[in-house]
Amino acid sequence: MIMRYYLWGNEWVSVDGQWNVSDVMMFMKSVGDTSRRVNPTEVMFAAFSAYLYLNASWASFLLRSSLQQQASVLLASTYAMSDLGSSYPSALGNTPTASIEALAIESSGDMIIMALTHVIVSGDGSLVSRYHQLRWTNLTIKGIIGIRAMGEISQIVGQAYQ
């Protein structure tokens, strides 16, 4: 039942208008609510293991659509976008707002985890090679600082960090 739930709101497209596996992308509608968000990162993250199980290429198609949009010059950002807009099936991009910015670290973490998981499961590193410049260094720095801060807090309260 959950698989059907994840698959019902997808659009498959080929950039050049012909079925060419090298440019296939998949766009996902937000599931479980009435919004029309395109590729909401938190929904992609929740469904990602199902796509990897069915066919790792499908996971690649879904990631590619988000990564390509995020790599565009017009949407350059220090964080991953939380979605590709709110007019499914059109992926017009989103306009940064306070609520979107609040999801920036979570979205970046989700995208990084999905990209690595795809490489591990599929053995195909082409997607991460192509979009490696989207390192979201602010996330990396905050992650390092956050880990260090938790270690220091654990020392202050006298508990070993496990």
Side-chain angles (χ1 to χ4, degrees):
M1 181 76 160
I2 195 71
M3 294 299 284
R4 188 174 92 179
Y5 192 62
Y6 285 142
L7 294 173
W8 76 270
N10 292 322
E11 296 289 332
W12 297 63
V13 299
S14 179
V15 176
D16 67 8
Q18 300 176 13
W19 190 251
N20 178 352
V21 176
S22 68
D23 73 353
V24 172
M25 290 188 284
M26 185 167 75
F27 295 90
M28 176 185 225
K29 181 185 184 297
S30 182
V31 293
D33 60 28
T34 58
S35 74
R36 296 186 60 202
R37 292 175 58 211
V38 181
N39 284 19
T41 305
E42 72 280 3
V43 177
M44 287 173 51
F45 187 74
F48 204 69
S49 60
Y51 290 115
L52 287 171
Y53 175 77
L54 290 172
N55 186 328
S57 294
W58 294 3
S60 173
F61 301 155
L62 186 61
L63 277 177
R64 183 181 300 143
S65 61
S66 288
L67 291 170
Q68 182 177 2
Q69 184 92 338
Q70 293 177 63
S72 72
V73 175
L74 296 175
L75 298 172
S77 174
T78 56
Y79 296 105
M81 298 180 342
S82 60
D83 58 46
L84 299 182
S86 58
S87 58
Y88 183 87
S90 298
L92 304 174
N94 61 22
T95 304
T97 64
S99 62
I100 291 171
E101 294 295 324
L103 297 172
I105 292 176
E106 179 182 354
S107 296
S108 298
D110 289 349
M111 291 298 293
I112 291 168
I113 292 166
M114 287 188 288
L116 177 60
T117 305
H118 176 262
V119 171
I120 291 169
V121 171
S122 70
D124 179 6
S126 62
L127 197 62
V128 293
S129 293
R130 182 172 184 181
Y131 294 105
H132 183 256
Q133 79 276 9
L134 294 176
R135 288 182 300 257
W136 299 303
T137 52
N138 284 349
L139 171 70
T140 306
I141 293 167
K142 286 183 180 184
I144 292 167
I145 293 169
I147 292 169
R148 173 71 187 255
M150 282 305 298
E152 289 184 23
I153 289 170
S154 294
Q155 282 183 322
I156 290 169
V157 299
Q159 295 201 3
Y161 189 69
Q162 301 176 12

